[in-house]
């Protein structure tokens, strides 16, 4: 039997579980990019079921197919023009009436559909019973129940998809779209327009006849513009105007509102027929919890407490695994590589220097922090899957409005804690151009995951007794800086007369599943590791090359002091700029320059430029394969036990003896020594100023490119220059102000 291939599209409201179903179907076979010509993230994937290769396109989450936002337009256009064979519309079983509005619009397009009643366990808990058979009949679609987070209902969903595909094989007329009764007067005009459209082959070829008539009566500007380009389109538009004038005169109301109202009435009547609710509408567990977590007074302290736990996990609990990775890379792996180079007679050559001083030191110095990021992503996945992250956005919305910012601005900022690039794209959710630009300018102040390794390293060097608090303070400082700048800009350059309402749906609280947490953690961590093998490796090699070129006739290629290399010469030229900030050494300055490529490169640069930073690599003895594997496994077990012992650190309990505290590495000692010298004994203040500079100054080039694409080059340059200037001022204030106050 030959394999066949076809495409399905996933549609659904935000928080209905659509992404969980996408992950459940595709697993690791996913592809992420942007929609053609758009900056909204595009997810697609593939899987095989019963000798059928199925391609899945995950449409952006949206509440309707009316083209008001980029997400709505993308979802609508994909269904309209790409014509997937089957649409899987994911609905929240516990909120069926609201979710059906999107489902009905999808069904009116005429594409064979499978209706997924997801989170059916939540509906059952609330005593909600849905008559699937009657709902299927009314919607002319297959209806299945799923609990995506527990991977239940997958088989029924796939059978439903194949069943709809079989109908297509029988002929296009085997599937008929639903027809909502919009009332005698409106239906009369729909009928007239449908006949006119049917007599225009160029138009009928592109658009479903009845659907187009309804969209034109709804004054869909995007469809109107596309219709003008088709033969016979202008005549149809003229007829539409006559119909609109007639109906709006008759009803004394906007036709778009009337059609939406009739659609809602139809849905309400349907729900009354198919849903059986308990007579006593008792408050759910989620509602009771929300009385506390979204409280006007307690909401923000609870949010800050949650963030505190996240960063204690990240900074303190992950430390044993960080030491384990460091030991593996600079121990067995470095030893094996050195032994291989010796075996082939390349020890002492420039190639050995490239491998050991360039690639291992640079890339290895960044990979050491993979456990830190994994703990961060696990914590964020727990908050997301439990449903609390949506509450955080709701709580911060009040604060944003109180400070004169738009409530939706918090969502891109929340994304910014992971990565600035998608956060810039997320500003598209703001309708007002001024709000969009303002939010885009503030997003880089949210500390992305790439800055975290710098905080962890410097907190361990200069604040070893309380690194978690210092890391947490960096994130809080970024938020406070954004808020203050937002207030200033909102009342100067970005004055707006009115703000649109921030509407979002709060999903029910759920117990996170291990599979979902692991999927999100692996997806984000693997992205970081891929960057380590691409951008960071390329940068490390370029740095090694520049550090290998002798200047002023001192040394030979790959055998010269770094301070007397081409890289050292360039780095020394910018030292005067940073001297007033306390870190006026060429080593520290050079890391900030390369950090413009990617913030992860700050650490890899330091491992290459600081004297004796990679001492362990040069002096390591190569263990045998068995010895090395035994060391890796044994040290992993020790790291796991130490991690368990680290958990009480979240609440301030230390189970470690003094001798359990890991000594500072050669890199940490070199950085400390360098900062002591450049700051004239005020190393702690200089280290703090350096962390603040990394927090505030220009993000990576990828983020700058996204900013330029979204906001325009003018605002991108404002951001670049403004952040550099602000970073310098804040670092200067911390270092010089601290000295004046006798601190550090």
């Amino acid at each position: 039997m030959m394999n066949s291939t076809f495409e399905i599209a996933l549609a659904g409201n935000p928080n209905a579980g659509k992404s969980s179903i996408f992950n459940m179907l595709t697993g690791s076979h996913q592809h992420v990019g942007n929609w053609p010509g758009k900056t909204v993230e595009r997810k697609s994937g593939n899987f095989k079921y019963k000798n059928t290769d199925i391609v899945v396109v995950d449409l952006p989450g949206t509440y309707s197919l009316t083209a008001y936002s980029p997400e709505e337009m993308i979802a609508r256009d994909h269904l309209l023009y790409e014509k997937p064979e089957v649409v899987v519309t994911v609905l929240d079983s516990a909120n069926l009436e609201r979710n059906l509005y999107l489902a009905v619009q999808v069904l009116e397009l005429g594409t064979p559909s499978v209706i997924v009643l997801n989170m059916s366990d939540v509906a059952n808990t609330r005593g909600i019973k849905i008559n699937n058979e009657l709902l299927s009949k009314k919607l002319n679609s297959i209806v299945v129940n799923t609990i995506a987070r527990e991977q239940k209902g997958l088989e029924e969903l796939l059978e439903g998809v194949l069943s709809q595909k079989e109908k297509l094989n029988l002929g296009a007329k085997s599937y008929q779209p639903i027809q909502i009764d919009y009332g005698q007067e409106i239906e009369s005009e729909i009928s007239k327009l449908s006949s006119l459209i049917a007599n225009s082959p160029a138009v009928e070829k592109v658009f479903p006849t009845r659907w187009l008539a309804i969209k034109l009566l709804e004054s869909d500007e995007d469809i109107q513009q596309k219709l003008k380009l088709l033969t016979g389109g202008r005549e149809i538009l003229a007829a539409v105007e006559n119909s609109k004038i007639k109906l709006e005169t008759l009803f004394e109301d906007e036709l778009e509102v009337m059609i939406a109202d009739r659609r809602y009435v139809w849905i309400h009547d349907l729900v009354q027929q198919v849903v059986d609710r308990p007579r006593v509408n008792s408050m759910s567990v989620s509602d009771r919890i929300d009385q506390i977590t979204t409280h006007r007074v307690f909401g923000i302290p609870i949010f800050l407490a949650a963030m505190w736990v996240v960063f204690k996990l990240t900074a303190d609990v992950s430390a044993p695994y960080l030491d384990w990775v460091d030991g593996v890379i600079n121990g067995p792996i470095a030893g094996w590589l050195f032994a291989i180079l010796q075996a082939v007679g390349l020890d002492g050559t420039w190639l050995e220097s490239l491998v050991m001083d360039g690639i291992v030191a640079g890339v290895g110095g960044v990979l050491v922090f993979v456990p830190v990021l994994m703990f961060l992503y696990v914590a964020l996945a727990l908050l997301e899957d439990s449903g609390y992250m949506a509450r955080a956005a709701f709580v911060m919305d009040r604060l944003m409005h109180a400070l004169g910012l738009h409530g939706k601005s918090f969502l891109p900022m929340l994304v910014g804690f992971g990565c600035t690039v998608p956060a810039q794209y997320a500003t598209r959710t703001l309708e007002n151009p001024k709000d969009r630009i303002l939010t885009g300018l503030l997003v880089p102040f949210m500390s992305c995951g790439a800055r975290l390794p710098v905080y962890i390293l410097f907190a361990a060097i200069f604040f070893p007794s309380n690194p978690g608090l210092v890391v947490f303070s960096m994130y809080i400082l970024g938020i406070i800086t954004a808020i203050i700048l937002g207030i200033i800009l909102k009342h100067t350059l970005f004055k707006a007369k009115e703000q649109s309402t921030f509407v979002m749906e709060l999903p029910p609280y759920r117990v996170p599943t291990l599979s979902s947490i692991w999927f999100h953690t692996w997806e984000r961590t693997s992205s970081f590791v891929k960057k380590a093998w691409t951008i960071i490796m390329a940068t490390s090699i370029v740095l090694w090359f520049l550090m290998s070129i002798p200047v002023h006739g001192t040394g030979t290629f790959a055998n010269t002091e770094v301070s007397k290399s081409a890289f050292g010469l360039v780095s020394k030229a910018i030292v005067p700029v940073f001297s007033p900030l306390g870190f006026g050494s060429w080593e520290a300055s050079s890391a900030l320059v390369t950090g413009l490529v990617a913030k992860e490169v700050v650490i890899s640069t330091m491992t290459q430029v600081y004297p004796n930073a990679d001492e362990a690599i040069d002096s390591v003895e190569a263990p045998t394969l068995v010895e090395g594997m035994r060391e890796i496994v044994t040290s992993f077990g020790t790291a796991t036990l130490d991690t368990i012992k680290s958990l009480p650190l979240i609440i301030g309990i230390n189970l470690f003896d003094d001798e359990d505290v890991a000594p500072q590495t050669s890199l940490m000692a070199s950085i400390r020594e360098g900062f002591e010298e450049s700051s004239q004994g005020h190393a702690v203040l200089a280290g703090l100023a350096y962390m603040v500079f990394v927090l505030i100054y220009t993000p990576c080039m990828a983020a700058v490119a996204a900013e330029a694409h979204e906001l325009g080059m003018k605002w991108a340059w404002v951001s670049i220059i403004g952040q550099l200037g602000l970073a310098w001022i804040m670092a200067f204030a911390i270092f010089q102000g601290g000295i004046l106050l006798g601190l550090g």
Side-chain angles (χ1 to χ4, degrees):
M1 187 178 197
M2 293 183 64
N3 288 357
S4 58
T5 304
F6 76 105
E7 178 189 310
I8 65 175
L10 286 179
N13 289 183
N15 295 315
K18 178 173 59 67
S19 295
S20 296
I21 288 180
F22 175 74
N23 295 335
M24 183 172 67
L25 291 173
T26 60
S28 60
H29 303 286
Q30 298 182 7
H31 318 283
V32 180
N34 287 331
W35 296 88
K38 303 288 183 180
T39 54
V40 178
E41 187 180 80
R42 173 193 179 113
K43 279 189 175 183
S44 61
N46 60 279
F47 66 97
K48 180 175 288 188
Y49 182 71
K50 290 189 175 180
N51 291 320
T52 302
D53 293 316
I54 302 176
V55 176
V56 188
V57 176
D58 187 15
L59 300 178
T62 178
Y63 293 102
S64 76
L65 294 183
T66 304
Y68 288 140
S69 70
E71 288 79 12
E72 290 173 336
M73 190 174 293
I74 286 169
R76 197 274 310 279
D77 286 356
H78 188 85
L79 297 178
L80 187 61
Y81 303 120
E82 300 301 322
K83 295 180 170 53
E85 280 117 319
V86 178
V87 179
V88 175
T89 308
V90 184
L91 312 183
D92 177 357
S93 299
N95 297 291
L96 186 61
E97 186 164 344
R98 182 172 64 250
N99 283 228
L100 274 171
Y101 192 80
L102 172 66
V104 165
Q105 288 189 309
V106 171
L107 292 169
E108 284 186 303
L109 266 171
T111 305
S113 298
V114 175
I115 302 296
V116 175
L117 301 180
N118 193 36
M119 295 187 278
S120 54
D121 56 331
V122 176
N124 291 334
T125 301
R126 297 181 182 178
I128 300 172
K129 297 180 180 178
I130 301 173
N131 187 332
N132 286 18
E133 186 177 346
L134 181 57
L135 181 62
S136 175
K137 181 179 179 181
K138 292 287 185 179
L139 298 180
N140 191 24
S141 296
I142 294 174
V143 176
V144 298
N145 290 323
T146 62
I147 307 175
R149 52 187 296 273
E150 296 179 7
Q151 298 191 357
K152 293 182 179 179
L154 176 62
E155 191 78 17
E156 292 81 357
L157 168 58
L158 294 176
E159 288 298 327
V161 167
L162 292 185
S163 177
Q164 292 292 52
K165 180 179 181 291
E166 288 303 316
K167 288 184 180 180
L168 280 176
N169 294 339
L170 296 175
K173 297 299 181 181
S174 64
Y175 181 85
Q176 294 297 324
I178 64 169
Q179 290 195 10
I180 294 175
D181 184 0
Y182 289 102
Q184 183 178 347
E185 295 83 0
I186 297 177
E187 284 293 339
S188 176
E189 297 304 317
I190 291 175
S191 179
K192 291 177 185 178
L193 293 173
S194 296
S195 298
L196 185 59
I197 293 167
N199 291 324
S200 303
V203 177
E204 187 185 31
K205 183 180 179 181
V206 178
F207 301 105
T209 304
R210 177 179 169 85
W211 178 87
L212 177 59
I214 295 170
K215 296 306 293 181
L216 292 174
L217 290 175
E218 287 183 302
S219 303
D220 189 309
E221 294 182 3
D222 180 65
I223 294 295
Q224 290 173 355
Q225 293 301 318
K226 290 173 179 174
L227 191 60
K228 287 179 182 178
L229 304 177
L230 300 176
T231 303
R234 294 185 181 274
E235 290 79 1
I236 295 172
L237 288 173
V240 169
E241 283 304 310
N242 291 331
S243 295
K244 287 170 62 179
I245 292 172
K246 177 181 177 181
L247 291 171
E248 289 181 350
T249 302
L250 176 64
F251 292 106
E252 298 181 350
D253 199 354
E254 292 184 9
L255 191 54
E256 180 184 1
V257 175
M258 293 165 55
I259 291 176
D261 182 63
R262 298 288 171 87
R263 195 178 283 134
Y264 275 119
V265 169
W266 188 90
I267 292 170
H268 179 74
D269 291 341
L270 172 63
V271 170
Q272 294 300 309
Q273 296 176 56
V274 302
V275 177
D276 181 22
R277 298 177 182 274
R279 291 187 178 182
V280 179
N281 189 18
S282 59
M283 185 177 289
S284 67
V285 175
S286 288
D287 292 335
R288 293 193 188 98
I289 298 174
D290 281 338
Q291 286 184 322
I292 301 173
T293 56
T294 62
H295 193 274
R296 289 185 176 275
V297 176
F298 304 132
I300 292 178
I302 290 172
F303 168 71
L304 293 176
M307 292 300 102
W308 167 254
V309 171
V310 169
F311 296 120
K312 286 294 283 185
L313 277 170
T314 302
D316 294 339
V317 180
S318 68
Y321 282 122
L322 186 150
D323 294 335
W324 172 72
V325 176
D326 182 48
V328 170
I329 291 175
N330 294 321
I333 292 178
W336 289 333
L337 285 173
F338 187 72
I340 292 172
L341 291 169
Q342 276 188 319
V344 296
L346 292 175
D347 56 310
T349 66
W350 66 267
L351 186 60
E352 182 211 333
S353 177
L354 170 61
V355 173
M356 306 306 294
D357 301 332
I359 297 174
V360 175
V363 178
V366 175
L367 290 179
V368 163
F369 292 94
V370 167
V372 173
L373 293 176
M374 287 193 74
F375 272 77
L376 173 65
Y377 295 145
V378 166
L380 293 179
L382 282 168
L383 293 177
E384 290 171 0
D385 283 13
S386 67
Y388 178 74
M389 198 63 85
R391 273 76 183 176
F394 177 78
V395 167
M396 294 304 292
D397 168 55
R398 293 177 185 150
L399 178 61
M400 303 297 273
H401 274 292
L403 297 172
L405 294 172
H406 194 288
K408 281 187 179 179
S409 298
F410 182 70
L411 294 177
M413 291 181 180
L414 198 63
V415 175
F417 285 116
C419 181
T420 307
V421 176
Q424 287 291 350
Y425 295 152
T427 59
R428 281 287 184 96
T429 59
L430 294 154
E431 290 82 8
N432 188 302
K434 286 187 176 181
D435 286 329
R436 189 158 58 245
I437 294 171
L438 174 58
T439 304
L441 293 176
L442 299 181
V443 156
F445 295 104
M446 301 301 104
S447 224
C448 67
R451 291 181 171 104
L452 183 58
V454 181
Y455 304 154
I456 295 291
L457 179 63
F458 273 69
I461 295 172
F462 299 106
F463 306 93
S465 61
N466 216 337
L469 179 61
V470 175
V471 173
F472 182 66
S473 68
M474 288 297 105
Y475 283 81
I476 296 300
L477 179 60
I479 294 172
I480 292 173
T481 303
I483 288 173
I484 294 173
L485 278 176
I487 293 172
I488 295 171
L489 294 174
K490 191 69 176 179
H491 292 88
T492 53
L493 297 177
F494 296 95
K495 284 186 177 180
K497 293 183 179 180
E498 60 181 41
Q499 294 180 335
S500 56
T501 304
F502 177 37
V503 179
M504 71 173 301
E505 185 174 347
L506 297 180
Y509 287 101
R510 296 184 289 266
V511 177
T513 60
L514 288 175
S515 59
S516 178
I517 292 171
W518 172 248
F519 180 85
H520 287 107
T521 302
W522 174 249
E523 185 180 37
R524 294 163 177 170
T525 305
S526 61
S527 176
F528 175 83
V529 173
K530 288 174 185 175
K531 186 182 288 187
W533 294 115
T534 52
I535 296 174
I536 297 171
M537 178 178 283
T539 305
S540 297
I541 292 173
V542 170
L543 289 179
W544 171 85
F545 182 76
L546 292 174
M547 288 186 289
S548 299
I549 300 176
V551 294
H552 304 308
T554 58
T556 58
F557 181 75
N559 187 23
T560 185
E561 291 182 32
V562 179
S563 61
K564 297 178 181 179
S565 67
F567 184 75
L569 182 68
V570 174
S571 300
K572 288 176 182 178
I574 61 173
V575 165
V577 177
F578 298 108
S579 291
L581 313 184
F583 42 87
S585 66
W586 70 268
E587 294 96 340
S589 302
S590 66
L592 292 175
V593 174
T594 57
L596 291 171
V597 177
K599 292 297 174 283
E600 300 93 335
V601 178
V602 172
I603 300 297
S604 64
T605 301
M606 288 182 167
T607 61
Q608 292 174 270
V609 301
Y610 271 100
N612 303 321
D614 57 349
E615 190 179 66
I617 294 177
D618 294 332
S619 60
V620 70
E621 292 185 7
T624 65
L625 182 61
V626 175
E627 290 172 343
M629 294 303 297
R630 185 186 298 117
E631 179 183 341
I632 291 172
V633 173
T634 303
S635 58
F636 179 82
T638 303
T640 301
L641 291 174
D642 286 345
T643 299
I644 296 171
K645 289 173 64 177
S646 299
L647 288 172
L649 288 172
I650 296 173
I651 56 176
I653 299 174
N654 189 353
L655 298 181
F656 291 93
D657 298 325
D658 290 338
E659 59 266 22
D660 290 334
V661 179
Q664 291 204 334
T665 64
S666 55
L667 171 62
M668 295 165 70
S670 296
I671 293 174
R672 175 86 191 201
E673 182 180 340
F675 272 66
E676 285 282 1
E677 183 179 342
S678 64
S679 65
Q680 298 181 346
H682 298 283
V684 174
L685 281 175
L688 182 60
Y690 196 87
M691 293 170 71
V692 171
F693 194 93
V694 170
L695 163 68
I696 302 297
Y697 91 120
T698 309
C700 66
M701 289 297 100
V704 171
E707 194 170 30
H709 189 279
E710 287 300 296
L711 312 182
M713 279 307 304
K714 182 184 79 171
W715 291 109
W717 277 113
V718 168
S719 178
I720 292 170
I721 296 171
Q723 284 187 253
L724 280 171
L726 183 60
W728 195 94
I729 291 170
M730 291 178 66
F732 178 86
I734 287 171
F735 182 70
Q736 298 295 345
I739 292 176
L740 288 175
L741 294 173
L743 303 175

